[in-house]
Every structure is written in C-alpha cells, then in structure tokens.
Amino acid sequence: SEAEVLPDSFPSAPAEPLPEFLLEPEDAFIVKNRPVQLRCRASPATQIYFKCNGEWVNQNDHITRESLDQITGLVLREVEISVSRTQVEELFGLEDYWCQCVAWSSAGTTKSNRAYVRIAYLRKNFEQEPLGREVRLEQEVLLQCRPPEGMPAAEVDWLKNEDVIDPSQDSNFLITIDHDLIIKQARLSDTANYTCVARNVVAKRRSSTATLIVYVSGGWSSWTEWSECNAQCGRGWQRRTRSCTNPAPLNGGAFCEGPPFQRVTCTTLCPVDGGWTEWAKWSACGTECTHWRSRECQAPSPRNGGKHCSGSMMESKNCTEGLCARSLAPDTGVAVYAGLVGALLLCVILVLCVGVLAYRRRCRHLHGDITDSSSALTAAFHPGNYKPSRQDNPNPLHPSAPPDLTATAGTFRGPLFSLQQGVNDSPHKIPMTTSPLLDPLPSLKIKVYNSSTLSSLELPADVCSDGEILSLKSVGTVGRERDCYGHTLSREPGLSTSATLGNLGGRLTIPNTGVSLLVPPGTIPQGKFYEMYLIINKWDKMTLPSEGSQTVLSPVVSCGPSGMLLNRPVVLTLPHCAQLDSPTPDWTLTLKTQTHQGAWEEVLTVGEETLSSPCYLQLEEECCHLLMEQLGTYGLVGQSCPPQPACKRLQLALFAPRAPCLSLDYSLRIYCIHDTPHALKEVLDLERSLGGVLLEDPKPLPFKDSYHNLRLSIHEIPHTHWRSKLLAKYQEIPFYHIWSGSQRPLHCTFSLERSSLAVSQLACKICVRQVEGEGQIFQLHTDIQETLPPHSPLPSGGSCLPSSQVGPYAFRLPDSIRQKICASLDAPSARGCDWRLLARSLGFDRYLNYFATKPSPTGVLLDLWEACHQGDADLVSLATALEEMGKSEVLVVMTTDGDC
C-alpha cells in the first residue's frame, strides 16, 4: 500500500492582529449635575482601559463586556466609564478634560481618539439685544443680536410675532453669520415684533422684543384738470386739486408737503350785445316817389357771443306825401343819368389825387435819416433815446416813441458808428459812439433778435475781420443766459465756462472736471455769433435723473443757449463711473435730458438706438461722448442688467485737519465719491474750506449693485496715547445712499483723542469694504504737528486744458486736411473703403445708421475723433486708420499739410 507522505514541519498558528476600535469615545457635555458615559469597543482585545488627562482610570470604575465575533472568531471587548461634574471641576489648568481608550492584544496596543468632556452652560444676559425702529417703506433694516456666552455656543433663531423666520422661505430676510437679521426692503407686512432666541443643550434665552414699524410717507396724486372759470363775465379764477393718496401716509409717515390745491386767475370775455347807430339822412327822392335811410349795428358791434341788433337796417317812405307823378319826360331821365355819371368820375379823380400825395409823402420819409429805427441799435448801449434831427426837418420825431425791438431785420442808412481805429486802439476792438457827425456806412446791415439767450450781428465780410466781429459780444443780452424755467443759471467758479463762438467753432472745457463741449466748424450759421456756456449743475440745486434702482453715473451738465439752430452735431464729453471691463454687459445705460417743466425724459438707451434717436453716444471706459443737435441739460444713468450685478467705480479719499493740531481731539474723514474728476474736485474744494488736507492719493473701490452696505472701521490704535471716542466697532454707509447717488459727498468721521499735547505720532489702519465685497486699507503713519505740503491728485493749472478755445486753434486736424478726407470718404465705395471702414477702424461703428443720415458722415466721425483725443492731440491713430484703409493719397496730404 502506498504510504501517506507527511510534511517536514507543520505551520504555526497565525499571529493575532493589533486591536481595531469599532467604537471610539465621543465628546460630551455635562448638563447640570448629570454625569456622562464614555464607551469604546475593540477587536481583538484582551484588555481595554481608559486613560483621562494622562492618568489611568481605576480598574474598578470600568464596566467591561466580552463576546466572540461569530464571523472572525476574534474576541470582542467593550468598556464603559462614567465621568462626573466633580471630576471635571477638579482639573485645574488651561487644558480641557479628556479621556482616551487603550486596547491590548498579543500583537501590541492601540489608542483611540481623545474625547473631551466639558461642563455645559448658557449665560442669561445677551451681549446685544435688538432695538425697535421706525423705517420708511423699501428701506434696508438691520436688527442686531449678540447671544449670551455659552458652552456649546448658542444657536440663534429670529421670531416674527412668535413665528420662526426661515430665510429660505422668504428671500427678503437674511440672517448673517454674526446672527444679525437683515430685511432687504421693508414691506408693510414686516411691521411686527421681532425677538432673538438663543439656545443650546442647557437652556433657551429670549431677548427683549424689538418693535419694527414700517411707515409710508404720503405722495401727491396727479393734478386734476383745471376747472372752468367761475366767472361767466370778467375776472375770476380756476382751481385744480390733488390728494395725498399716492401713496397715503401710513404708520406715522409724513404727510405730503405743499398745497393740496392751486388757483390761478382767469378772464372770461363778456358778451357785448350789438346796438344801432343813428339813422343816416334821407336819400333824394327816387323815380318811385320814395326815399330811404339806413343804419348799422355798430354802436357797439356784437362780440363775444353778444346778441345782434333786432330790427331792420333800412327804412323807406313816400317822399311826396302821395302827390307823386309816376312818369317823367324823356329828356328829364337822360339829364338825371348824365349827372350821376359826372359825379362818379369826379369822385375817382379826387381819390387818385389823394393817393399820389400820400405816396410821395411816404417816400420822402423812407429816404430820410435813421431816427425811427436807430433806437433799436443805440438803446442797447445808451440809457437815453437820443435821435439827431434832420437838417431839412425842423420837427424831430416825438422823443417818447419807444424803439421797435421786435423787428426781424432792419436796413439802416446814415451815421451809425465808426469802425475807424485809433492809434492806441486794439485791432480787435470796435469803438461805439452816439456822435452823428461820423462818416456814414451805407452798406452796414444789422439784425437785432429779441431773445433772452440770443444776440446776433450780421456784417458784410469786407467790413471787418473775424476778430473784430467777435468783439461785438458785448452787444444786446449776451452773457445773460437763462435756463428754460426763467431762473438765472448758476455760474459758480470752477463749475462753468463760456465763450463767444461763430462759424469757425471752438471748444469749451471746465478744467479738472473732464467735461467739455466741442463745437465743430460750420455748426453755427455764417455771420451768427453766440455766447455759448457749459455748466456743471450742483447736486443740491436740482432733481436727479435717477428712478427706482437706477444710479447716476455722470455729472449733470447744462450747455446752451437752448433753442440754438445748429447746422451739424456738437460733441458733449461727460466723465462716468460705470465699470465696463467685464466680458459681459452688466449695465443698461440711458441718457436723460431735462424738459422745460423740470422733469427728466429718456433720450436714448445705449444699444437700442433707432433712426428716430436724436443723439449718438460713444462710450469709453472713463467717459462718454454725446453727438447731439439740441443743447440742454443732460446726464447719464445706469441700471444693472441681469443676471450679473453691475459695478460702480468709487474713490476713497482720506482727510485730516491741517497741522499743527492744537487740540486733544483729532478727526479723520473718509469720503466715498464717484471715480470722476468732477467729484474729486468737489471734495477737495469742500475740505479746503473746512481746513482739511488730503493725506494720500485716493484709493479705488468697486461697489456692486447689491443690498450690502459700505463698512468702515479703524484698527491698531496705540491705546497708550490715543483713544477712540466711538462706541461702535464700525460705521456703515447704507447701500442705497451710495447707489442712488442722491447724496453728495458721503463721508464718515473717526474721532480720536490723544492723552496729551506732547503726543504727535499717530499710526493706525482704516479698513473700508463693502460687506461681502471688496475693500481697501489705509495704512496711516503721520505726525499731526508736521505741516504737510498741499497734496492734490488733480493736474496743475499749467497742464490742464484751457477753459475755452476759439476758432482753428481748438482743433488738431487742419480744415484743409479735413475737407480732403471728407471728399475722399463721403462717397460710397463698392469695396467698402469709405467712411464706414473709417468708423470701424476708429471704433465708432456701434450704430452706423446715425452717421449715414448726415450730409457728411466723415465730417461727423472726425468731429467725434477730435473730442475723443482732446487730451493727447495725436494724429497717429487717425493716420494709422487711413493707412489700413489704403488711403495713401490722404496720408500724403496729412504729411505735407499737417505735422503728423
């Protein structure tokens, strides 16, 4: 039989693995005096013990359970201990009380994670409780709550009339990580009692109840139509009313300001009944033995709906009292008719004689002196109505006759004033005089317009030069422009400029504001001269063009005189603060103008232009250029374009009192303004009047269209020598105050106090950021006793553009080159190498239909190019565009005629 082969050696039993914890102890809180249980389970495990704060727990304090795993066959051991409040309180030191399991097997030991045991508590008093408020409708509301100190940290719920607020169910509520409640836009339904509730495993605490009242200020309804005049005849009055119901005031909101009714006087023409005049004399006795007489309804004539005269206009009766022969001899009838014909001829001759005499008398006056019409000219210079008498007319015109200033034009012959220059007179000055002995100017022709904003003089081209014509700007009412409401426009220094412009055009610039007006050559008709003005309106003197969620992005600018007849568009340049560097369009930009009644109307929306749009808007990163043919008041507004929120460019400017500081109090002011030169200039002028100095260059800050406020805080104050007088940790500027742009300028003040006058060094940090947005930090280190030189980020007077430039000096492109470029590109080209390609090369091709409607599209494009390059005055960009188009002949002209 075959013998069974046995192995040389038998395998040993497999080694026991290290213990593996199937259950580890967990952190626990001791509530009041109830001890906590800590458990752990491991397999395989021959022994398991707890170790608390580095010391072994007594073996007798362990509760051990042992079993056998049916699957692996390994020993499964579970241990439990109890930790009391006394054990935790006996631990003195900075460490927390912790416990850890240690398990043994034949292979070694394994330790579990540490489990911390803490005593749970919750203080009674809130660190900060919400306060009741009264807010207007749609205002942002912040209710603050700081829960009591506790272990574990308390969770916070907000109750509205004892109902828990769930922001996921109502998006108008927001609970911040600091447990504050934000109501984005207060509604009438948000008028309620609000309570902050803090809770943990120990207890629940309620704050005091804050009552929020949302009030609605009253608004006027539209005016009703004017009532009928209450007087049926003569002077009376008309009335119209409005009610404070749009909306009606609620919850203590303010009542509407102003009268609920208006009354104006009216005059109703009274009806006049007609009346008969006296009867005329009886006529001669006729062939029918009757005579007649007549009367007319003219004493008075019926008017204004009066009754007509009743009765007959003619009356006849027998003129022989019945003794009349019905037939006459034939010779007698012929004699009667012959007499009538002779009388008619005599009347005709007399009428002709009277007409000839009247005509000759009139012609003699027409060829006389200018005494009747010259008053229209001289009245603009002299207080008296002086009229020299004619040598052949001993009876001068009556001196009280007023001059006729309403005539459109009048031709004057005779001695008006002299254009002869004296030895010392300027070549651009025309002396005016009332002397009648100067040489006559028979060809002089002057037009005088009766207008509050327009004065125009027309002289022949061979009488004087352009400079002499421009010196006539003192004639008439030039310089007394008025706006469309009849009030004198504000002419504050630094916010306005004016110049007298004619057919040669020019440029008006308000220095250090980015606002300018380009008037191209040929815009003003030949022979006309206007004193044009450009004014930046102050925010506190007018209503703003924004509505709802719109925001003002540029200064509101008035240019005029309004009502001017322009032959071609002018270019108005406005700075703006819209951030346009995002890849997707975040803005809906709208240009608005102010009507004669003071209301704002939309002119155009960028990107939605049509052939009926009266303007063209060229948008750049920091400014926009407006091509328009109607002068007036304009402003640029914007609104976020969903889904992305739009962003405005703001500037933060830090000011401090001018050194040396002689008081213990010291204040730092931070302004939040639009990132435009005009806004910064306004703040610099304001601080200069307050005695403040700019500490460093303003810092940029993007501000998003959201409900988040702007938060400002000061940090790292050296408390040994300085103390902040503010109780709050930070200050906030509400979001809607900044976004609407209705309040200028906005700032926050940090009030500090030094310990003694010997302290002069101040070092701190000022943080400015939009909540949940971007921010800036001012690192301040200054000596408040050291006098700093004036610091201004604006360009000096020598580097900025002049306030006005008249004639060819205002334009970089010479007129000869301009005409040749227009002649080359205005005509359409089959290859497309015309003005359209020039518009694309220059970046002006957003809406080509606007230029296509102009007589010279190329000329309008060049005007826009002049406005866009007024700062650099560089012809390279234009030359490059023409070179890319292949217009070599025009480049040759620019090289020879200009200084490209």
Side-chain angles (χ1 to χ4, degrees):
S1 62
E2 295 182 1
E4 185 177 354
V5 180
L6 299 176
D8 296 334
S9 62
F10 291 96
S12 60
E16 191 175 32
L18 286 173
E20 179 180 357
F21 281 97
L22 304 178
L23 175 66
E24 296 186 76
E26 298 179 349
D27 295 344
F29 293 95
I30 296 178
V31 180
K32 297 182 180 179
N33 293 320
R34 294 192 296 272
V36 297
Q37 308 298 324
L38 299 181
R39 296 185 183 88
C40 64
R41 184 186 307 121
S43 174
T46 57
Q47 293 293 338
I48 299 179
Y49 292 104
F50 269 94
K51 193 175 187 179
C52 294
N53 282 81
E55 297 182 1
W56 296 103
V57 179
N58 193 319
Q59 183 177 4
N60 297 329
D61 294 335
H62 291 72
I63 301 176
T64 305
R65 302 180 185 87
E66 183 177 342
S67 61
L68 191 67
D69 193 335
Q70 298 297 331
I71 300 177
T72 61
L74 300 177
V75 176
L76 187 66
R77 189 178 298 273
E78 180 177 336
V79 175
E80 176 182 337
I81 65 171
S82 177
V83 180
S84 66
R85 182 187 185 100
T86 305
Q87 291 176 264
V88 176
E89 289 178 342
E90 285 179 353
L91 176 66
F92 294 97
L94 299 177
E95 295 183 1
D96 293 331
Y97 190 93
W98 59 268
C99 292
Q100 185 181 39
C101 275
V102 181
W104 281 268
S105 71
S106 60
T109 61
T110 303
K111 296 181 180 180
S112 70
N113 293 329
R114 292 183 178 184
Y116 290 88
V117 180
R118 300 179 178 90
I119 299 175
Y121 67 93
L122 183 64
R123 306 291 185 199
K124 292 184 178 181
N125 297 327
F126 280 73
E127 295 183 7
Q128 185 174 7
E129 295 185 290
L131 301 177
R133 299 178 58 186
E134 293 183 0
V135 298
R136 68 175 183 275
L137 188 67
E138 297 184 353
Q139 179 181 343
E140 184 185 70
V141 182
L142 173 65
L143 296 178
Q144 294 180 315
C145 175
R146 297 293 179 269
E149 181 185 355
M151 178 63 70
E155 297 180 0
V156 172
D157 290 326
W158 280 92
L159 303 181
K160 176 183 176 182
N161 291 340
E162 301 303 322
D163 294 331
V164 178
I165 296 177
D166 186 1
S168 63
Q169 300 296 326
D170 190 344
S171 60
N172 197 41
F173 291 105
L174 175 67
I175 299 178
T176 67
I177 58 175
D178 296 331
H179 310 299
D180 294 337
L181 176 64
I182 294 178
I183 304 176
K184 301 176 184 177
Q185 289 183 322
R187 304 160 297 192
L188 289 176
S189 59
D190 294 329
T191 299
N193 294 325
Y194 291 86
T195 308
C196 180
V197 178
R199 53 181 171 81
N200 66 1
V201 295
V202 178
K204 179 186 295 186
R205 309 283 188 230
R206 290 172 58 95
S207 70
S208 59
T209 299
T211 302
L212 178 67
I213 298 177
V214 181
Y215 66 85
V216 179
S217 295
W220 289 115
S221 64
S222 300
W223 287 104
T224 61
E225 296 294 333
W226 287 105
S227 64
E228 297 293 336
C229 194
N230 69 328
Q232 298 181 356
C233 175
R235 187 179 182 85
W237 51 267
Q238 291 176 283
R239 177 189 175 103
R240 66 174 182 176
T241 60
R242 59 180 177 175
S243 59
C244 190
T245 57
N246 187 30
L250 292 175
N251 297 335
F255 196 79
C256 303
E257 295 183 0
F261 65 89
Q262 285 183 342
R263 191 168 70 175
V264 295
T265 58
C266 58
T267 303
T268 304
L269 298 177
C270 298
V272 178
D273 296 337
W276 291 113
T277 60
E278 296 292 335
W279 286 104
K281 295 182 179 180
W282 289 102
S283 64
C285 196
T287 57
E288 299 295 328
C289 300
T290 59
H291 59 176
W292 53 272
R293 62 178 181 176
S294 63
R295 58 180 178 176
E296 296 181 353
C297 190
Q298 295 181 352
S301 300
R303 58 181 181 271
N304 304 331
K307 298 179 180 179
H308 200 274
C309 304
S310 60
S312 60
M313 296 178 59
M314 298 185 66
E315 184 181 36
S316 63
K317 68 176 182 178
N318 191 293
C319 55
T320 61
E321 297 182 359
L323 303 175
C324 179
R326 291 294 178 179
S327 62
L328 299 175
D331 296 339
T332 305
V334 174
V336 171
Y337 287 113
L340 291 175
V341 172
L344 182 60
L345 290 176
L346 181 59
C347 292
V348 171
I349 293 173
L350 289 175
V351 170
L352 290 176
C353 292
V354 172
V356 171
L357 291 176
Y359 176 78
R360 293 185 63 184
R361 181 179 181 87
R362 182 181 180 186
C363 290
R364 183 165 65 251
H365 283 286
L366 287 177
H367 289 282
D369 205 349
I370 62 169
T371 57
D372 290 338
S373 302
S374 62
S375 61
L377 178 67
T378 60
F381 302 97
H382 315 295
N385 190 12
Y386 174 81
K387 298 180 181 180
S389 60
R390 293 177 46 85
Q391 297 177 359
D392 56 349
N393 184 10
N395 299 320
L397 293 178
H398 196 278
S400 63
D404 182 13
L405 297 179
T406 60
T408 304
T411 303
F412 304 99
R413 301 175 183 271
L416 293 179
F417 53 86
S418 174
L419 290 178
Q420 297 177 352
Q421 299 177 4
V423 178
N424 299 324
D425 291 341
S426 170
H428 298 291
K429 179 180 179 182
I430 299 179
M432 299 296 180
T433 178
T434 59
S435 173
L437 304 178
L438 300 179
D439 296 334
L441 298 175
S443 62
L444 185 63
K445 185 177 182 181
I446 297 181
K447 283 188 178 181
V448 180
Y449 292 85
N450 183 21
S451 172
S452 61
T453 60
L454 176 61
S455 179
S456 173
L457 301 180
E458 290 189 359
L459 293 88
D462 57 344
V463 174
C464 57
S465 65
D466 291 337
E468 293 168 335
I469 296 176
L470 288 175
S471 68
L472 293 175
K473 64 183 181 180
S474 61
V475 178
T477 57
V478 176
R480 300 179 179 273
E481 295 86 356
R482 295 180 177 269
D483 60 13
C484 54
Y485 319 114
H487 304 294
T488 303
L489 288 170
S490 172
R491 289 297 187 93
E492 299 192 20
L495 296 180
S496 64
T497 184
S498 63
T500 302
L501 303 182
N503 183 258
L504 297 179
R507 189 196 305 266
L508 300 180
T509 303
I510 303 180
N512 298 330
T513 63
V515 178
S516 64
L517 178 67
L518 181 76
V519 182
T523 301
I524 300 176
Q526 186 73 35
K528 301 290 181 67
F529 296 89
Y530 302 102
E531 183 172 359
M532 303 188 67
Y533 60 83
L534 186 63
I535 299 173
I536 298 178
N537 296 279
K538 293 186 70 67
W539 299 93
D540 55 353
K541 294 185 179 179
M542 70 176 307
T543 58
L544 292 176
S546 61
E547 298 176 359
S549 60
Q550 291 180 341
T551 176
V552 181
L553 298 174
S554 74
V556 179
V557 175
S558 297
C559 55
S562 58
M564 280 182 57
L565 179 62
L566 304 178
N567 290 340
R568 60 190 302 171
V570 298
V571 187
L572 177 62
T573 300
L574 299 175
H576 68 79
C577 61
Q579 186 164 322
L580 304 175
D581 54 359
S582 59
T584 58
D586 300 333
W587 285 100
T588 299
L589 300 176
T590 304
L591 180 72
K592 291 192 176 184
T593 184
Q594 198 170 25
T595 63
H596 292 274
Q597 290 76 25
W600 288 95
E601 292 183 350
E602 292 187 4
V603 179
L604 62 86
T605 300
V606 178
E608 300 179 7
E609 294 89 343
T610 62
L611 288 176
S612 61
S613 299
C615 305
Y616 175 84
L617 191 69
Q618 178 66 24
L619 197 62
E620 297 184 346
E621 287 189 6
E622 297 183 355
C623 66
C624 61
H625 307 279
L626 176 62
L627 282 163
M628 59 182 181
E629 299 181 45
Q630 183 66 42
L631 303 181
T633 300
Y634 293 92
L636 184 68
V637 300
Q639 191 170 5
S640 287
C641 182
Q644 296 295 330
C647 192
K648 290 174 65 171
R649 301 190 323 272
L650 302 181
Q651 279 185 321
L652 303 173
L654 177 61
F655 289 87
R658 185 174 288 109
C661 181
L662 304 179
S663 172
L664 294 179
D665 294 333
Y666 193 75
S667 60
L668 299 172
R669 287 187 294 274
I670 299 183
Y671 288 83
C672 175
I673 56 176
H674 283 172
D675 187 10
T676 60
H678 159 255
L680 182 57
K681 180 179 183 296
E682 184 181 4
V683 170
L684 289 174
D685 293 342
L686 174 62
E687 277 294 325
R688 191 177 297 113
S689 65
L690 297 176
V693 60
L694 183 65
L695 294 184
E696 57 181 281
D697 287 337
K699 294 181 180 290
L701 177 68
F703 192 79
K704 288 186 178 181
D705 179 13
S706 66
Y707 54 84
H708 296 300
N709 300 338
L710 189 69
R711 181 172 295 178
L712 302 92
S713 56
I714 187 168
H715 307 274
E716 300 182 10
I717 302 175
H719 295 288
T720 55
H721 302 293
W722 290 88
R723 181 181 69 87
S724 175
K725 301 174 70 174
L726 297 176
L727 299 179
K729 296 181 180 179
Y730 55 84
Q731 302 182 60
E732 285 192 352
I733 301 178
F735 165 77
Y736 291 105
H737 288 186
I738 299 177
W739 189 255
S740 66
S742 60
Q743 300 185 16
R744 301 293 173 88
L746 296 171
H747 76 280
C748 283
T749 301
F750 290 97
S751 299
L752 306 177
E753 184 180 17
R754 49 180 173 163
S755 57
S756 68
L757 293 177
V759 177
S760 62
Q761 298 294 326
L762 174 61
C764 63
K765 287 184 180 180
I766 297 180
C767 300
V768 184
R769 70 179 184 93
Q770 187 179 13
V771 179
E772 300 187 12
E774 300 186 29
Q776 287 284 2
I777 297 179
F778 287 91
Q779 184 71 50
L780 184 62
H781 186 83
T782 181
D783 188 343
I784 67 174
Q785 303 296 346
E786 179 182 357
T787 303
L788 300 176
H791 180 78
S792 175
L794 297 176
S796 61
S799 62
C800 65
L801 295 174
S803 60
S804 63
Q805 296 172 290
V806 178
Y809 298 102
F811 307 98
R812 184 68 180 92
L813 195 63
D815 187 60
S816 58
I817 299 179
R818 171 191 291 268
Q819 292 180 2
K820 292 178 181 178
I821 295 177
C822 292
S824 175
L825 300 181
D826 274 345
S829 171
R831 297 185 298 110
C833 188
D834 50 21
W835 63 269
R836 294 169 292 181
L837 185 56
L838 176 64
R840 295 189 184 96
S841 301
L842 297 178
F844 301 158
D845 58 337
R846 186 173 53 80
Y847 186 68
L848 291 177
N849 288 339
Y850 176 84
F851 302 98
T853 59
K854 306 304 175 187
S856 176
T858 308
V860 180
L861 289 171
L862 295 178
D863 295 339
L864 184 56
W865 177 86
E866 288 273 5
C868 294
H869 294 80
Q870 59 175 321
D872 51 26
D874 187 9
L875 289 176
V876 174
S877 61
L878 181 59
T880 303
L882 293 173
E883 183 179 7
E884 293 175 353
M885 295 173 60
K887 292 293 181 178
S888 57
E889 68 279 5
V890 181
L891 283 175
V892 172
V893 172
M894 293 183 63
T895 305
T896 55
D897 294 355
D899 54 349
C900 178

